[in-house]
Amino acid sequence: MPFTMASMVESQAKNPEFSRLYVAAVLALNVALSLSIVLMNKAVYTYFFFPNMTLTMIHFVFTTFGMLVCRFLGIFAVKSMPLSKMIPISVTFCGFVVLTNLSLENNTVGTYQIIRALTTPCVILLQTIYYSRSFSTKVKLTVIPIIVGIFLISCFDVKFNILGVTYASAAVIVTSLYQVWVNEKQGEFQCTAMQLLYYQAPLSAICVGIAILFYEPLLLKGGLFGNLWSAKALALVSATGVVAFAINVSIFWIIGNTSPLTYNMVGHLKFCLTVTGGFLLFPDPLPALQLLGIITTFSGIICYTHFKMAEQNLEKEKQAIERRKAVAQDKLFKQEAEKADPRLISIEDKKDDQ
């Protein structure tokens, strides 16, 4: 039997343990790929001075071609979706990229990280107000140690200015909206992550391409067509495109199969691992306050994972009880119907056989 996304979903439905392992594997893959692309992108910027937004556009071009290849191989089937409903997701992604870059440009890294951490409560707020999603008090409280931890990690490099805070705040709102929509649209259109990304990737490439015309000099030095790029530069840029394709697929899958909030937790985990990796692999200092921040953030993520798994187990138990009740009621109904008129149950059995 050939591997397809449908067969994978069916396996998850039949085997809950397999589903958990699969989710954990995708989360781990996303973390590993994200840490890899950070290092690869840093090399592209540091050694070759490749334009930032152009690289993002190239990543989405690679994702578009990757989706076409996956479609050709039969990994997923294309599902018809209204193009007008795809445009808002693509525009919010473009806004997320542009505003994030402007936030980094006009803020210190510490300020950027602290304000970015507010994406988590913003996602909770948007889903609660506009999509009637509910979160337990325990889950909401896990946000506190995470934000406190991010603050402790980043407080050594905090400087505020009106323009920078404006860009950072706008980036938080647009990013939260984008993540929520990726989740909601998969439910609204009853589609998989790959089916949604198939439409969103080319539209996002076009949106970012339009933004490049205003923010990067295409024909001047430092622009895409203003430099004669070496074979090494093109090879590394292509490699980041392949990794970006895998990351984008995993992001859409995580948000669609778990939640935007879970994806945010993965983002905080990646940040902590990046800081820790800088200390272990490079001569980056790690003050006691930053170490405390990492421990605090990790504790919040662990508590979130524990509470969410407990809630999911409770929900599964409730669903199992409801199914057993439904089966028992159906059996009782058939018994009563048979007592009232044996011919009715015979007719029902014949229908079932057909």
Side-chain angles (χ1 to χ4, degrees):
M1 179 180 173
F3 170 81
T4 62
M5 290 302 290
S7 64
M8 180 62 74
V9 170
E10 185 180 351
S11 298
Q12 291 181 58
K14 290 180 180 178
N15 190 342
E17 278 305 315
F18 174 82
S19 178
R20 285 185 185 178
L21 290 173
Y22 190 63
V23 170
V26 175
L27 291 173
L29 178 65
N30 178 267
V31 170
L33 290 171
S34 298
L35 294 176
S36 299
I37 205 169
V38 166
L39 298 174
M40 294 170 73
N41 285 349
K42 187 174 182 180
V44 170
Y45 300 140
T46 303
Y47 298 117
F48 302 109
F49 304 100
F50 202 84
N52 186 301
M53 291 183 65
T54 299
L55 185 63
T56 302
M57 185 191 72
I58 290 172
H59 287 172
F60 268 99
V61 170
F62 267 80
T63 300
T64 300
F65 282 107
M67 299 310 298
L68 290 171
V69 171
C70 289
R71 177 190 177 185
F72 176 77
L73 294 175
I75 295 176
F76 73 99
V78 175
K79 186 171 184 177
S80 179
M81 299 182 203
L83 191 63
S84 59
K85 295 289 182 73
M86 294 295 104
I87 292 175
I89 301 180
S90 304
V91 171
T92 52
F93 174 80
C94 185
F96 148 66
V97 172
V98 172
L99 290 168
T100 297
N101 287 333
L102 289 171
S103 175
L104 277 170
E105 185 180 336
N106 292 274
N107 288 306
T108 61
V109 175
T111 304
Y112 163 77
Q113 289 291 355
I114 289 171
I115 298 179
R116 183 171 174 265
L118 298 176
T119 303
T120 303
C122 190
V123 163
I124 293 175
L125 196 63
L126 285 174
Q127 288 197 294
T128 302
I129 294 175
Y130 295 103
Y131 295 97
S132 301
R133 297 295 178 94
S134 59
F135 300 90
S136 67
T137 303
K138 289 180 180 180
V139 168
K140 290 177 183 177
L141 289 175
T142 61
V143 175
I144 296 174
I146 289 171
I147 293 179
V148 170
I150 297 295
F151 176 80
L152 292 175
I153 296 170
S154 309
C155 66
F156 294 93
D157 187 28
V158 176
K159 292 179 183 177
F160 293 103
N161 65 83
I162 294 175
L163 184 62
V165 170
T166 301
Y167 283 138
S169 302
V172 166
I173 295 170
V174 173
T175 301
S176 303
L177 190 58
Y178 170 70
Q179 292 178 3
V180 169
W181 276 351
V182 167
N183 176 262
E184 296 296 333
K185 295 302 178 186
Q186 290 186 50
E188 179 182 340
F189 299 127
Q190 293 296 299
C191 64
T192 65
M194 299 189 86
Q195 288 171 331
L196 184 63
L197 188 57
Y198 179 79
Y199 287 94
Q200 194 255 332
L203 289 173
S204 292
I206 293 169
C207 289
V208 177
I210 293 171
I212 287 172
L213 298 175
F214 297 95
Y215 290 98
E216 289 182 355
L218 279 175
L219 302 176
L220 300 178
K221 187 177 180 180
L224 180 61
F225 303 110
N227 288 34
L228 186 61
W229 303 104
S230 66
K232 286 183 179 179
L234 295 176
L236 186 57
V237 167
S238 299
T240 65
V242 174
V243 175
F245 159 66
I247 290 173
N248 286 329
V249 172
S250 67
I251 288 173
F252 271 62
W253 192 94
I254 291 168
I255 293 176
N257 289 272
T258 57
S259 69
L261 187 58
T262 297
Y263 177 68
N264 266 268
M265 296 300 172
V266 175
H268 299 315
L269 175 63
K270 286 185 281 192
F271 174 58
C272 289
L273 290 175
T274 301
V275 175
T276 306
F279 170 71
L280 296 174
L281 302 176
F282 305 102
D284 293 342
L286 187 65
L289 202 58
Q290 282 192 320
L291 179 60
L292 177 62
I294 291 172
I295 294 171
T296 305
T297 304
F298 270 128
S299 67
I301 295 171
I302 291 170
C303 288
Y304 170 81
T305 305
H306 172 72
F307 294 145
K308 285 296 289 184
M309 289 185 69
E311 290 176 4
Q312 288 171 358
N313 289 336
L314 185 61
E315 184 63 28
K316 286 178 182 178
E317 287 176 8
K318 287 181 179 178
Q319 290 175 356
I321 292 170
E322 290 297 323
R323 283 195 296 268
R324 286 196 293 268
K325 284 182 179 179
V327 171
Q329 287 175 353
D330 185 57
K331 187 176 180 180
L332 182 62
F333 173 77
K334 285 184 177 181
Q335 289 174 349
E336 291 177 351
E338 188 177 18
K339 289 178 182 178
D341 189 349
R343 290 176 298 175
L344 291 176
I345 195 66
S346 300
I347 293 171
E348 289 297 325
D349 289 339
K350 286 179 181 179
K351 286 182 180 180
D352 291 341
D353 293 337
Q354 290 175 354

mmCIF file of all heavy atoms in Angstrom, residues 59-103:
data_model
loop_
_atom_site.group_PDB
_atom_site.id
_atom_site.type_symbol
_atom_site.label_atom_id
_atom_site.label_comp_id
_atom_site.label_asym_id
_atom_site.label_seq_id
_atom_site.Cartn_x
_atom_site.Cartn_y
_atom_site.Cartn_z
ATOM 1 N N HIS A 59 12.584 30.976 -0.277
ATOM 2 C CA HIS A 59 12.107 29.860 0.537
ATOM 3 C C HIS A 59 10.692 29.456 0.126
ATOM 4 O O HIS A 59 10.375 28.261 0.039
ATOM 5 C CB HIS A 59 12.133 30.241 2.014
ATOM 6 C CG HIS A 59 13.515 30.297 2.582
ATOM 7 N ND1 HIS A 59 13.780 30.774 3.856
ATOM 8 C CD2 HIS A 59 14.722 29.949 2.054
ATOM 9 C CE1 HIS A 59 15.081 30.710 4.080
ATOM 10 N NE2 HIS A 59 15.661 30.213 3.007
ATOM 11 N N PHE A 60 9.836 30.418 -0.135
ATOM 12 C CA PHE A 60 8.471 30.092 -0.530
ATOM 13 C C PHE A 60 8.395 29.588 -1.961
ATOM 14 O O PHE A 60 7.506 28.801 -2.306
ATOM 15 C CB PHE A 60 7.547 31.301 -0.317
ATOM 16 C CG PHE A 60 6.897 31.280 1.029
ATOM 17 C CD1 PHE A 60 7.400 32.040 2.063
ATOM 18 C CD2 PHE A 60 5.806 30.476 1.285
ATOM 19 C CE1 PHE A 60 6.824 31.999 3.320
ATOM 20 C CE2 PHE A 60 5.217 30.425 2.533
ATOM 21 C CZ PHE A 60 5.733 31.186 3.553
ATOM 22 N N VAL A 61 9.306 30.029 -2.814
ATOM 23 C CA VAL A 61 9.372 29.475 -4.168
ATOM 24 C C VAL A 61 9.753 27.992 -4.093
ATOM 25 O O VAL A 61 9.155 27.147 -4.774
ATOM 26 C CB VAL A 61 10.389 30.254 -5.028
ATOM 27 C CG1 VAL A 61 10.638 29.541 -6.351
ATOM 28 C CG2 VAL A 61 9.882 31.673 -5.298
ATOM 29 N N PHE A 62 10.739 27.671 -3.251
ATOM 30 C CA PHE A 62 11.130 26.273 -3.059
ATOM 31 C C PHE A 62 9.973 25.466 -2.479
ATOM 32 O O PHE A 62 9.752 24.308 -2.866
ATOM 33 C CB PHE A 62 12.350 26.184 -2.128
ATOM 34 C CG PHE A 62 13.661 26.162 -2.853
ATOM 35 C CD1 PHE A 62 14.224 27.339 -3.325
ATOM 36 C CD2 PHE A 62 14.333 24.977 -3.080
ATOM 37 C CE1 PHE A 62 15.434 27.334 -3.999
ATOM 38 C CE2 PHE A 62 15.542 24.951 -3.749
ATOM 39 C CZ PHE A 62 16.101 26.140 -4.215
ATOM 40 N N THR A 63 9.232 26.068 -1.536
ATOM 41 C CA THR A 63 8.081 25.381 -0.951
ATOM 42 C C THR A 63 7.024 25.108 -2.014
ATOM 43 O O THR A 63 6.415 24.030 -2.044
ATOM 44 C CB THR A 63 7.475 26.223 0.192
ATOM 45 O OG1 THR A 63 8.466 26.429 1.200
ATOM 46 C CG2 THR A 63 6.272 25.528 0.813
ATOM 47 N N THR A 64 6.802 26.087 -2.902
ATOM 48 C CA THR A 64 5.830 25.909 -3.991
ATOM 49 C C THR A 64 6.214 24.741 -4.885
ATOM 50 O O THR A 64 5.386 23.869 -5.194
ATOM 51 C CB THR A 64 5.736 27.200 -4.834
ATOM 52 O OG1 THR A 64 5.321 28.285 -4.005
ATOM 53 C CG2 THR A 64 4.735 27.030 -5.974
ATOM 54 N N PHE A 65 7.476 24.688 -5.300
ATOM 55 C CA PHE A 65 7.934 23.582 -6.142
ATOM 56 C C PHE A 65 7.912 22.256 -5.377
ATOM 57 O O PHE A 65 7.608 21.202 -5.948
ATOM 58 C CB PHE A 65 9.340 23.864 -6.682
ATOM 59 C CG PHE A 65 9.358 24.817 -7.845
ATOM 60 C CD1 PHE A 65 9.811 26.113 -7.692
ATOM 61 C CD2 PHE A 65 8.898 24.413 -9.092
ATOM 62 C CE1 PHE A 65 9.811 26.995 -8.762
ATOM 63 C CE2 PHE A 65 8.902 25.292 -10.174
ATOM 64 C CZ PHE A 65 9.354 26.583 -10.015
ATOM 65 N N GLY A 66 8.231 22.311 -4.081
ATOM 66 C CA GLY A 66 8.171 21.112 -3.256
ATOM 67 C C GLY A 66 6.766 20.549 -3.183
ATOM 68 O O GLY A 66 6.562 19.324 -3.255
ATOM 69 N N MET A 67 5.771 21.425 -3.073
ATOM 70 C CA MET A 67 4.377 20.988 -3.027
ATOM 71 C C MET A 67 3.949 20.381 -4.360
ATOM 72 O O MET A 67 3.190 19.403 -4.400
ATOM 73 C CB MET A 67 3.455 22.158 -2.671
ATOM 74 C CG MET A 67 3.722 22.795 -1.308
ATOM 75 S SD MET A 67 3.818 21.619 0.050
ATOM 76 C CE MET A 67 2.178 20.930 0.011
ATOM 77 N N LEU A 68 4.444 20.947 -5.468
ATOM 78 C CA LEU A 68 4.135 20.390 -6.790
ATOM 79 C C LEU A 68 4.711 18.978 -6.938
ATOM 80 O O LEU A 68 4.066 18.087 -7.498
ATOM 81 C CB LEU A 68 4.689 21.309 -7.883
ATOM 82 C CG LEU A 68 3.976 22.660 -8.056
ATOM 83 C CD1 LEU A 68 4.752 23.553 -9.019
ATOM 84 C CD2 LEU A 68 2.548 22.459 -8.570
ATOM 85 N N VAL A 69 5.927 18.793 -6.428
ATOM 86 C CA VAL A 69 6.555 17.469 -6.474
ATOM 87 C C VAL A 69 5.757 16.474 -5.626
ATOM 88 O O VAL A 69 5.496 15.343 -6.044
ATOM 89 C CB VAL A 69 8.027 17.535 -5.992
ATOM 90 C CG1 VAL A 69 8.608 16.142 -5.831
ATOM 91 C CG2 VAL A 69 8.873 18.344 -6.963
ATOM 92 N N CYS A 70 5.358 16.901 -4.422
ATOM 93 C CA CYS A 70 4.571 16.033 -3.538
ATOM 94 C C CYS A 70 3.239 15.658 -4.171
ATOM 95 O O CYS A 70 2.777 14.518 -4.061
ATOM 96 C CB CYS A 70 4.326 16.729 -2.192
ATOM 97 S SG CYS A 70 5.794 16.869 -1.160
ATOM 98 N N ARG A 71 2.641 16.610 -4.862
ATOM 99 C CA ARG A 71 1.376 16.335 -5.566
ATOM 100 C C ARG A 71 1.611 15.310 -6.680
ATOM 101 O O ARG A 71 0.827 14.366 -6.835
ATOM 102 C CB ARG A 71 0.821 17.631 -6.152
ATOM 103 C CG ARG A 71 -0.445 17.430 -6.970
ATOM 104 C CD ARG A 71 -0.839 18.679 -7.741
ATOM 105 N NE ARG A 71 -2.008 18.436 -8.560
ATOM 106 C CZ ARG A 71 -2.517 19.332 -9.413
ATOM 107 N NH1 ARG A 71 -1.948 20.518 -9.529
ATOM 108 N NH2 ARG A 71 -3.582 19.031 -10.142
ATOM 109 N N PHE A 72 2.694 15.475 -7.432
ATOM 110 C CA PHE A 72 3.021 14.553 -8.525
ATOM 111 C C PHE A 72 3.252 13.136 -7.999
ATOM 112 O O PHE A 72 2.874 12.152 -8.634
ATOM 113 C CB PHE A 72 4.258 15.056 -9.272
ATOM 114 C CG PHE A 72 4.730 14.128 -10.356
ATOM 115 C CD1 PHE A 72 4.064 14.076 -11.576
ATOM 116 C CD2 PHE A 72 5.838 13.312 -10.164
ATOM 117 C CE1 PHE A 72 4.490 13.209 -12.581
ATOM 118 C CE2 PHE A 72 6.269 12.453 -11.161
ATOM 119 C CZ PHE A 72 5.592 12.396 -12.375
ATOM 120 N N LEU A 73 3.875 13.044 -6.808
ATOM 121 C CA LEU A 73 4.169 11.730 -6.209
ATOM 122 C C LEU A 73 2.957 11.114 -5.529
ATOM 123 O O LEU A 73 3.024 9.986 -5.031
ATOM 124 C CB LEU A 73 5.315 11.872 -5.197
ATOM 125 C CG LEU A 73 6.683 12.261 -5.773
ATOM 126 C CD1 LEU A 73 7.688 12.489 -4.656
ATOM 127 C CD2 LEU A 73 7.191 11.208 -6.747
ATOM 128 N N GLY A 74 1.850 11.866 -5.466
ATOM 129 C CA GLY A 74 0.625 11.341 -4.872
ATOM 130 C C GLY A 74 0.607 11.377 -3.360
ATOM 131 O O GLY A 74 -0.180 10.662 -2.729
ATOM 132 N N ILE A 75 1.478 12.196 -2.749
ATOM 133 C CA ILE A 75 1.518 12.288 -1.285
ATOM 134 C C ILE A 75 0.257 12.969 -0.746
ATOM 135 O O ILE A 75 -0.202 12.683 0.355
ATOM 136 C CB ILE A 75 2.791 13.033 -0.837
ATOM 137 C CG1 ILE A 75 4.026 12.196 -1.211
ATOM 138 C CG2 ILE A 75 2.779 13.310 0.669
ATOM 139 C CD1 ILE A 75 5.342 12.861 -0.917
ATOM 140 N N PHE A 76 -0.311 13.874 -1.544
ATOM 141 C CA PHE A 76 -1.585 14.485 -1.167
ATOM 142 C C PHE A 76 -2.365 14.789 -2.438
ATOM 143 O O PHE A 76 -1.799 14.866 -3.531
ATOM 144 C CB PHE A 76 -1.373 15.771 -0.337
ATOM 145 C CG PHE A 76 -0.881 16.944 -1.154
ATOM 146 C CD1 PHE A 76 -1.765 17.920 -1.600
ATOM 147 C CD2 PHE A 76 0.462 17.079 -1.478
ATOM 148 C CE1 PHE A 76 -1.320 19.000 -2.351
ATOM 149 C CE2 PHE A 76 0.925 18.153 -2.219
ATOM 150 C CZ PHE A 76 0.029 19.119 -2.658
ATOM 151 N N ALA A 77 -3.670 14.940 -2.275
ATOM 152 C CA ALA A 77 -4.539 15.284 -3.399
ATOM 153 C C ALA A 77 -4.948 16.745 -3.289
ATOM 154 O O ALA A 77 -5.249 17.230 -2.190
ATOM 155 C CB ALA A 77 -5.776 14.385 -3.398
ATOM 156 N N VAL A 78 -4.956 17.443 -4.402
ATOM 157 C CA VAL A 78 -5.330 18.857 -4.397
ATOM 158 C C VAL A 78 -6.818 18.987 -4.117
ATOM 159 O O VAL A 78 -7.634 18.241 -4.673
ATOM 160 C CB VAL A 78 -4.995 19.519 -5.751
ATOM 161 C CG1 VAL A 78 -5.494 20.963 -5.781
ATOM 162 C CG2 VAL A 78 -3.501 19.486 -5.995
ATOM 163 N N LYS A 79 -7.159 19.905 -3.240
ATOM 164 C CA LYS A 79 -8.557 20.155 -2.917
ATOM 165 C C LYS A 79 -8.916 21.570 -3.340
ATOM 166 O O LYS A 79 -8.183 22.517 -3.045
ATOM 167 C CB LYS A 79 -8.790 19.984 -1.411
ATOM 168 C CG LYS A 79 -10.262 20.098 -1.011
ATOM 169 C CD LYS A 79 -10.463 19.717 0.444
ATOM 170 C CE LYS A 79 -11.940 19.738 0.797
ATOM 171 N NZ LYS A 79 -12.187 19.311 2.179
ATOM 172 N N SER A 80 -10.019 21.709 -4.025
ATOM 173 C CA SER A 80 -10.435 23.024 -4.508
ATOM 174 C C SER A 80 -10.819 23.924 -3.341
ATOM 175 O O SER A 80 -11.607 23.538 -2.478
ATOM 176 C CB SER A 80 -11.623 22.866 -5.465
ATOM 177 O OG SER A 80 -12.052 24.129 -5.921
ATOM 178 N N MET A 81 -10.213 25.111 -3.318
ATOM 179 C CA MET A 81 -10.501 26.086 -2.269
ATOM 180 C C MET A 81 -10.654 27.473 -2.888
ATOM 181 O O MET A 81 -9.982 27.778 -3.885
ATOM 182 C CB MET A 81 -9.373 26.134 -1.238
ATOM 183 C CG MET A 81 -9.136 24.842 -0.513
ATOM 184 S SD MET A 81 -7.822 24.999 0.719
ATOM 185 C CE MET A 81 -7.327 23.289 0.869
ATOM 186 N N PRO A 82 -11.512 28.304 -2.323
ATOM 187 C CA PRO A 82 -11.684 29.660 -2.871
ATOM 188 C C PRO A 82 -10.422 30.497 -2.693
ATOM 189 O O PRO A 82 -9.910 30.632 -1.581
ATOM 190 C CB PRO A 82 -12.851 30.231 -2.047
ATOM 191 C CG PRO A 82 -12.883 29.410 -0.798
ATOM 192 C CD PRO A 82 -12.396 28.053 -1.174
ATOM 193 N N LEU A 83 -9.919 31.028 -3.795
ATOM 194 C CA LEU A 83 -8.681 31.805 -3.762
ATOM 195 C C LEU A 83 -8.810 33.033 -2.869
ATOM 196 O O LEU A 83 -7.856 33.436 -2.197
ATOM 197 C CB LEU A 83 -8.294 32.225 -5.183
ATOM 198 C CG LEU A 83 -6.900 32.814 -5.373
ATOM 199 C CD1 LEU A 83 -5.840 31.772 -5.031
ATOM 200 C CD2 LEU A 83 -6.713 33.319 -6.793
ATOM 201 N N SER A 84 -10.012 33.611 -2.833
ATOM 202 C CA SER A 84 -10.231 34.815 -2.026
ATOM 203 C C SER A 84 -10.010 34.555 -0.541
ATOM 204 O O SER A 84 -9.612 35.446 0.212
ATOM 205 C CB SER A 84 -11.656 35.345 -2.242
ATOM 206 O OG SER A 84 -12.605 34.351 -1.889
ATOM 207 N N LYS A 85 -10.260 33.292 -0.109
ATOM 208 C CA LYS A 85 -10.060 32.948 1.304
ATOM 209 C C LYS A 85 -8.583 32.680 1.620
ATOM 210 O O LYS A 85 -8.185 32.701 2.778
ATOM 211 C CB LYS A 85 -10.886 31.689 1.652
ATOM 212 C CG LYS A 85 -12.395 31.894 1.543
ATOM 213 C CD LYS A 85 -12.894 32.793 2.653
ATOM 214 C CE LYS A 85 -14.407 32.966 2.582
ATOM 215 N NZ LYS A 85 -15.117 31.758 3.015
ATOM 216 N N MET A 86 -7.780 32.413 0.581
ATOM 217 C CA MET A 86 -6.352 32.163 0.779
ATOM 218 C C MET A 86 -5.541 33.457 0.863
ATOM 219 O O MET A 86 -4.479 33.494 1.489
ATOM 220 C CB MET A 86 -5.801 31.316 -0.375
ATOM 221 C CG MET A 86 -6.353 29.909 -0.466
ATOM 222 S SD MET A 86 -5.892 28.893 0.951
ATOM 223 C CE MET A 86 -7.435 28.889 1.854
ATOM 224 N N ILE A 87 -6.060 34.504 0.219
ATOM 225 C CA ILE A 87 -5.310 35.766 0.162
ATOM 226 C C ILE A 87 -5.049 36.358 1.547
ATOM 227 O O ILE A 87 -3.926 36.795 1.831
ATOM 228 C CB ILE A 87 -6.035 36.783 -0.753
ATOM 229 C CG1 ILE A 87 -5.969 36.284 -2.204
ATOM 230 C CG2 ILE A 87 -5.413 38.176 -0.635
ATOM 231 C CD1 ILE A 87 -6.739 37.137 -3.188
ATOM 232 N N PRO A 88 -6.053 36.387 2.472
ATOM 233 C CA PRO A 88 -5.773 36.955 3.807
ATOM 234 C C PRO A 88 -4.636 36.244 4.542
ATOM 235 O O PRO A 88 -3.805 36.902 5.181
ATOM 236 C CB PRO A 88 -7.105 36.761 4.551
ATOM 237 C CG PRO A 88 -8.133 36.743 3.480
ATOM 238 C CD PRO A 88 -7.479 36.060 2.322
ATOM 239 N N ILE A 89 -4.560 34.904 4.446
ATOM 240 C CA ILE A 89 -3.467 34.174 5.107
ATOM 241 C C ILE A 89 -2.121 34.593 4.518
ATOM 242 O O ILE A 89 -1.154 34.827 5.241
ATOM 243 C CB ILE A 89 -3.644 32.650 4.940
ATOM 244 C CG1 ILE A 89 -4.971 32.188 5.526
ATOM 245 C CG2 ILE A 89 -2.505 31.904 5.601
ATOM 246 C CD1 ILE A 89 -5.222 30.707 5.395
ATOM 247 N N SER A 90 -2.072 34.693 3.183
ATOM 248 C CA SER A 90 -0.829 35.059 2.508
ATOM 249 C C SER A 90 -0.414 36.484 2.849
ATOM 250 O O SER A 90 0.777 36.767 3.047
ATOM 251 C CB SER A 90 -0.994 34.903 0.991
ATOM 252 O OG SER A 90 -1.401 33.597 0.665
ATOM 253 N N VAL A 91 -1.391 37.390 2.917
ATOM 254 C CA VAL A 91 -1.088 38.793 3.239
ATOM 255 C C VAL A 91 -0.594 38.913 4.683
ATOM 256 O O VAL A 91 0.359 39.652 4.957
ATOM 257 C CB VAL A 91 -2.331 39.681 3.014
ATOM 258 C CG1 VAL A 91 -2.093 41.086 3.559
ATOM 259 C CG2 VAL A 91 -2.659 39.752 1.525
ATOM 260 N N THR A 92 -1.230 38.175 5.603
ATOM 261 C CA THR A 92 -0.778 38.242 7.000
ATOM 262 C C THR A 92 0.620 37.658 7.149
ATOM 263 O O THR A 92 1.416 38.146 7.947
ATOM 264 C CB THR A 92 -1.738 37.493 7.951
ATOM 265 O OG1 THR A 92 -1.957 36.165 7.468
ATOM 266 C CG2 THR A 92 -3.058 38.229 8.086
ATOM 267 N N PHE A 93 0.927 36.619 6.356
ATOM 268 C CA PHE A 93 2.294 36.090 6.408
ATOM 269 C C PHE A 93 3.287 37.126 5.908
ATOM 270 O O PHE A 93 4.349 37.322 6.505
ATOM 271 C CB PHE A 93 2.444 34.811 5.594
ATOM 272 C CG PHE A 93 3.877 34.354 5.532
ATOM 273 C CD1 PHE A 93 4.427 33.662 6.609
ATOM 274 C CD2 PHE A 93 4.681 34.652 4.456
ATOM 275 C CE1 PHE A 93 5.756 33.284 6.594
ATOM 276 C CE2 PHE A 93 6.009 34.268 4.429
ATOM 277 C CZ PHE A 93 6.547 33.574 5.496
ATOM 278 N N CYS A 94 2.935 37.794 4.805
ATOM 279 C CA CYS A 94 3.811 38.846 4.273
ATOM 280 C C CYS A 94 3.997 39.942 5.310
ATOM 281 O O CYS A 94 5.107 40.429 5.534
ATOM 282 C CB CYS A 94 3.208 39.411 2.991
ATOM 283 S SG CYS A 94 4.254 40.623 2.165
ATOM 284 N N GLY A 95 2.890 40.336 5.966
ATOM 285 C CA GLY A 95 2.974 41.357 7.017
ATOM 286 C C GLY A 95 3.821 40.892 8.178
ATOM 287 O O GLY A 95 4.596 41.667 8.755
ATOM 288 N N PHE A 96 3.699 39.618 8.525
ATOM 289 C CA PHE A 96 4.502 39.037 9.610
ATOM 290 C C PHE A 96 5.996 39.134 9.288
ATOM 291 O O PHE A 96 6.808 39.542 10.129
ATOM 292 C CB PHE A 96 4.066 37.587 9.828
ATOM 293 C CG PHE A 96 5.143 36.655 10.280
ATOM 294 C CD1 PHE A 96 5.745 36.796 11.515
ATOM 295 C CD2 PHE A 96 5.561 35.621 9.461
ATOM 296 C CE1 PHE A 96 6.749 35.927 11.934
ATOM 297 C CE2 PHE A 96 6.547 34.747 9.870
ATOM 298 C CZ PHE A 96 7.153 34.902 11.110
ATOM 299 N N VAL A 97 6.382 38.801 8.044
ATOM 300 C CA VAL A 97 7.791 38.851 7.644
ATOM 301 C C VAL A 97 8.307 40.289 7.652
ATOM 302 O O VAL A 97 9.356 40.588 8.221
ATOM 303 C CB VAL A 97 7.985 38.222 6.242
ATOM 304 C CG1 VAL A 97 9.409 38.448 5.749
ATOM 305 C CG2 VAL A 97 7.674 36.739 6.287
ATOM 306 N N VAL A 98 7.553 41.184 7.024
ATOM 307 C CA VAL A 98 7.985 42.584 6.912
ATOM 308 C C VAL A 98 8.084 43.230 8.289
ATOM 309 O O VAL A 98 9.088 43.881 8.620
ATOM 310 C CB VAL A 98 7.008 43.374 6.012
ATOM 311 C CG1 VAL A 98 7.339 44.866 6.058
ATOM 312 C CG2 VAL A 98 7.083 42.860 4.578
ATOM 313 N N LEU A 99 7.039 43.070 9.111
ATOM 314 C CA LEU A 99 7.020 43.703 10.426
ATOM 315 C C LEU A 99 8.072 43.107 11.361
ATOM 316 O O LEU A 99 8.658 43.827 12.182
ATOM 317 C CB LEU A 99 5.624 43.577 11.050
ATOM 318 C CG LEU A 99 4.533 44.416 10.379
ATOM 319 C CD1 LEU A 99 3.156 43.999 10.864
ATOM 320 C CD2 LEU A 99 4.768 45.908 10.633
ATOM 321 N N THR A 100 8.327 41.795 11.243
ATOM 322 C CA THR A 100 9.372 41.169 12.053
ATOM 323 C C THR A 100 10.740 41.744 11.702
ATOM 324 O O THR A 100 11.550 42.045 12.588
ATOM 325 C CB THR A 100 9.374 39.640 11.849
ATOM 326 O OG1 THR A 100 8.122 39.117 12.296
ATOM 327 C CG2 THR A 100 10.492 38.985 12.643
ATOM 328 N N ASN A 101 10.998 41.900 10.403
ATOM 329 C CA ASN A 101 12.269 42.483 9.971
ATOM 330 C C ASN A 101 12.409 43.929 10.452
ATOM 331 O O ASN A 101 13.481 44.350 10.898
ATOM 332 C CB ASN A 101 12.387 42.430 8.448
ATOM 333 C CG ASN A 101 12.641 41.030 7.933
ATOM 334 O OD1 ASN A 101 13.209 40.206 8.643
ATOM 335 N ND2 ASN A 101 12.221 40.742 6.721
ATOM 336 N N LEU A 102 11.314 44.698 10.363
ATOM 337 C CA LEU A 102 11.347 46.091 10.822
ATOM 338 C C LEU A 102 11.529 46.153 12.339
ATOM 339 O O LEU A 102 12.200 47.054 12.860
ATOM 340 C CB LEU A 102 10.053 46.804 10.420
ATOM 341 C CG LEU A 102 9.904 47.098 8.917
ATOM 342 C CD1 LEU A 102 8.495 47.611 8.612
ATOM 343 C CD2 LEU A 102 10.948 48.108 8.457
ATOM 344 N N SER A 103 10.928 45.191 13.048
ATOM 345 C CA SER A 103 11.087 45.136 14.502
ATOM 346 C C SER A 103 12.545 44.865 14.875
ATOM 347 O O SER A 103 13.096 45.516 15.769
ATOM 348 C CB SER A 103 10.181 44.049 15.082
ATOM 349 O OG SER A 103 10.388 43.903 16.468
#
